[in-house]
Amino acid sequence: MKTISIILSLLLSTALSVNHLRAQSGPPWVKTNVGYNYILRGVDFPSNQDNIGYISGESLTYQGNGIVLKTTDGGSTWTPVWTGAGEGAEGSCFVDTDNGFVAGWPKLSAGWSGFGKTTDGGATWTSPPVTPDVYYYTDVVFKDASNGILLGSTNTLPGVWVTSNGGTSWTIATGLASVPNHACHVSGNTYFLVDNAGHIQKSVNNGASWSTVYSVPGGLLTGIKFYNNLTGMACGDNGVIVKTYDGGTTWTVQTVGTDIWHDFGWDTPTHVYVCGTPELVYESTNNGATWTNAFPGSAYQAALYECIFTAGGWGYICGSQGTLLKRVPSCSANFSASATSACTGKPVTFTSLATGSNLSYRWTFTGGTPPASVSPNPVVVYNTPGSYNVKLVVNNGYWADSLLQVNYITASQSPPSPVISAAGFTLTSSIPNGNQWYLNGIMIAGATGPSHTAVHSGWYWDVVTANGCSSDTSNNIDLVMTGVDENHGPVVHVAPVPCDGLFTVDFDWAGGTVCSMTVCNSMGVAIYRDSFTMHNGRAVRKIDLRSSPAGLYILEMIYESGRTVRKVLIRK
């Protein structure tokens, strides 16, 4: 079962009701203000990044003052990088974080052609001439720093002007049906535009010539945008939305409301938003088939003009009165476990598979220890058999998503650790079934009975498995096999034999210098350890075990190339 909730953050500048937020299919659009009372026409976050962005606009719809604002912190703060008295900006386009273009109202007496460009992120601006007979420019679209188009009108005719050198020189396009309002670059040399007479026009030669591919009789189209080479949408007055899914070959019309739509923005290939006037945002989760209100908290005051989504999924819609709607990326909760069939007392590692950025985590483990965690990948132990729920909540400060997995973990009882004992070289487990014997940490093939007869010296232990769960290891027993010397190395004399516990070991070997010595009782338990360095190939060690009980003891010496074993008999 998956549930979704909203995090109301102090970072939100406008509080919206929880019921409204929950009506949306993702994080809410949050209304903010850039701090400058302008009609904001265009917004860009170029170069596949989320921090540096630009907004352009004008103080009035007719020969107002122009402005370009820049942010370097993802839209939290905005600073003017260009202003122009009587030079209002109707549109802008930034192809990267350095190269950008604005278009709008000319002021030829001040050397402002109506077109401006920057090549240093807004630090400096130039205004190359375009045409002396311009009335105003409605939009500017560049596909790279060199190639672009200007839309607008002279005092007598509609116009599109084309450049291939970053705006240094321009040529006039042909085939226009009416005054163009907005355009978009699709790919390669292909552009589309819409005009004030309801035409959708297409150019396949970088804007040099245009042909009409569809028209809405008596309509006013104000915006057009393509998601990819096939899917595109245009919009305009009286709620008109026009869609194509075959690259503009065919178009269908639908009506969504009765107001003016201006632009589209895709969050995913099938999740698209449309914005308009007055302060309207609708969304479609089926790529335009149906639409619902995505901004139910609207005050219906500002006009909204352009919608974009950044590479990281941040959404922005700019509009009048300095309005900027902001939508944080979605986050989605998901997780996995190292095992869903667990054993009591054994750790289970959970791994967050959540998507999103700047996430915090809140886990709930019913029946687990710990019962909760804020780590992305916590480790949990279940001490009681049963089936248990696991829940993860992730949030990014604005939006939260939770995933509850019911009876996700089934814990079975782990068997108790066995206790082993030795009688001579026969090892016996305290648990009759499910045994597996080990020698020096290596599983002994076929040694699965309740007892095992050792044939090699070393450390032995046992593990018991029941109901798919393994016990902890048993106690360890170090067995030393008596008999002949291994590798026929040094000469070793033990005297006296028998003894009262005090005896001497005379070690004579020219083949090595370092030796370790262990004495074990009949149960294989080491009661004495020593290591020494020989001098001139010989060493003599006196060992005092007089506090040990009478019995047979095993003396084991390990050196560079092997080992030697001797018996020591203590009598009281």
Side-chain angles (χ1 to χ4, degrees):
M1 179 176 68
K2 194 160 188 173
T3 59
I4 296 177
S5 58
I6 305 298
I7 301 299
L8 291 180
S9 169
L10 294 177
L11 297 176
L12 306 183
S13 65
T14 301
L16 304 179
S17 73
V18 173
N19 288 335
H20 283 162
L21 296 179
R22 286 179 177 166
Q24 301 174 55
S25 63
W29 288 99
V30 179
K31 186 177 180 179
T32 68
N33 194 283
V34 299
Y36 297 87
N37 188 16
Y38 280 70
I39 304 166
L40 304 177
R41 298 284 194 176
V43 56
D44 282 301
F45 278 77
S47 302
N48 294 319
Q49 49 82 45
D50 303 318
N51 296 318
I52 299 175
Y54 299 89
I55 289 179
S56 65
E58 55 191 342
S59 61
L60 300 171
T61 57
Y62 176 75
Q63 293 184 341
N65 298 328
I67 195 168
V68 175
L69 302 168
K70 181 177 182 178
T71 181
T72 57
D73 55 13
S76 296
T77 59
W78 296 86
T79 303
V81 292
W82 173 81
T83 58
E87 302 166 0
E90 293 283 337
S92 59
C93 178
F94 280 77
V95 296
D96 54 48
T97 55
D98 291 324
N99 291 279
F101 309 89
V102 295
W105 294 90
K107 193 175 182 180
L108 300 180
S109 61
W112 184 256
S113 67
F115 165 75
K117 64 178 291 186
T118 180
T119 58
D120 53 14
T124 60
W125 293 81
T126 59
S127 182
V130 182
T131 178
D133 192 32
V134 62
Y135 177 64
Y136 83 129
Y137 300 111
T138 57
D139 198 11
V140 57
V141 180
F142 272 69
K143 68 178 186 179
D144 53 44
S146 299
N147 297 278
I149 60 174
L150 267 174
L151 285 66
S153 173
T154 69
N155 289 298
T156 56
L157 294 172
V160 170
W161 293 264
V162 182
T163 183
S164 59
N165 53 19
T168 301
S169 61
W170 298 85
T171 58
I172 187 71
T174 61
L176 294 177
S178 189
V179 176
N181 284 324
H182 192 73
C184 68
H185 173 250
V186 179
S187 66
N189 298 330
T190 300
Y191 290 81
F192 281 84
L193 66 77
V194 292
D195 65 26
N196 62 358
H199 300 102
I200 300 175
Q201 294 196 285
K202 180 180 181 180
S203 172
V204 295
N205 55 7
N206 271 332
S209 61
W210 297 83
S211 60
T212 299
V213 295
Y214 191 79
S215 62
V216 179
L220 166 66
L221 296 179
T222 56
I224 188 167
K225 188 172 285 183
F226 272 68
Y227 176 73
N228 54 29
N229 287 334
L230 297 178
T231 300
M233 298 185 185
C235 59
D237 200 5
N238 298 315
V240 168
I241 293 178
V242 192
K243 303 171 295 186
T244 181
Y245 301 105
D246 56 12
T249 302
T250 60
W251 297 80
T252 57
V253 180
Q254 67 181 148
T255 300
V256 181
T258 59
D259 295 293
I260 302 175
W261 298 115
H262 289 292
D263 194 32
F264 302 91
W266 275 265
D267 180 26
T268 69
T270 58
H271 191 191
V272 58
Y273 291 88
V274 61
C275 65
T277 302
E279 203 170 286
L280 297 172
V281 183
Y282 271 51
E283 68 178 328
S284 173
T285 57
N286 49 22
N287 206 17
T290 58
W291 299 84
T292 57
N293 188 0
F295 191 33
S298 174
Y300 302 103
Q301 294 175 340
L304 303 179
Y305 290 106
E306 185 164 19
C307 176
I308 66 161
F309 280 87
T310 70
W314 293 81
Y316 296 90
I317 298 176
C318 63
S320 63
Q321 305 166 38
T323 298
L324 181 66
L325 303 188
K326 188 174 181 180
R327 181 182 184 270
V328 301
S330 301
C331 58
S332 179
N334 196 8
F335 59 85
S336 64
S338 58
T340 56
S341 297
C343 300
T344 57
K346 305 295 183 181
V348 177
T349 300
F350 291 87
T351 301
S352 170
L353 303 177
T355 59
S357 59
N358 301 317
L359 296 181
S360 63
Y361 305 85
R362 188 171 74 252
W363 297 84
T364 303
F365 303 105
T366 305
T369 301
S373 176
V374 295
S375 168
N377 304 309
V379 178
V380 180
V381 173
Y382 293 87
N383 294 313
T384 303
S387 295
Y388 300 105
N389 300 342
V390 177
K391 183 178 181 180
L392 171 62
V393 179
V394 294
N395 77 71
N396 58 17
Y398 294 86
W399 176 255
D401 187 37
S402 65
L403 175 62
L404 172 65
Q405 295 278 28
V406 177
N407 295 330
Y408 184 66
I409 297 294
T410 300
S412 300
Q413 181 66 55
S414 295
S417 299
V419 177
I420 63 173
S421 58
F425 300 118
T426 299
L427 300 161
T428 302
S429 171
S430 62
I431 297 178
N433 299 309
N435 294 276
Q436 174 61 62
W437 294 90
Y438 291 79
L439 171 60
N440 296 326
I442 300 174
M443 182 185 297
I444 303 172
T448 58
S451 62
H452 175 69
T453 300
V455 294
H456 299 286
S457 298
W459 289 95
Y460 286 83
W461 62 79
D462 182 30
V463 173
V464 172
T465 300
N467 300 317
C469 295
S470 298
S471 69
D472 288 333
T473 60
S474 68
N475 57 304
N476 299 347
I477 292 180
D478 184 13
L479 287 183
V480 178
M481 309 304 297
T482 60
V484 300
D485 297 345
E486 298 182 21
N487 296 328
H488 305 285
V491 176
V492 179
H493 297 284
V494 179
V497 177
C499 65
D500 62 357
L502 182 64
F503 58 95
T504 300
V505 179
D506 191 337
F507 191 91
D508 190 358
W509 186 39
T513 59
V514 179
C515 179
S516 65
M517 181 184 301
T518 304
V519 179
C520 297
N521 62 21
S522 60
M523 298 295 292
V525 178
I527 62 171
Y528 176 87
R529 296 183 187 277
D530 191 13
S531 61
F532 52 88
T533 300
M534 292 175 287
H535 299 283
N536 299 320
R538 187 176 181 217
V540 178
R541 312 296 287 179
K542 182 171 287 188
I543 301 174
D544 189 351
L545 299 179
R546 285 177 290 185
S547 60
S548 299
L552 181 64
Y553 292 81
I554 303 300
L555 172 67
E556 179 187 37
M557 287 153 288
I558 299 175
Y559 37 90
E560 285 94 330
S561 60
R563 67 169 66 191
T564 296
V565 178
R566 292 288 184 266
K567 294 179 181 179
V568 177
L569 182 60
I570 298 178
R571 288 180 178 174
K572 297 295 185 179

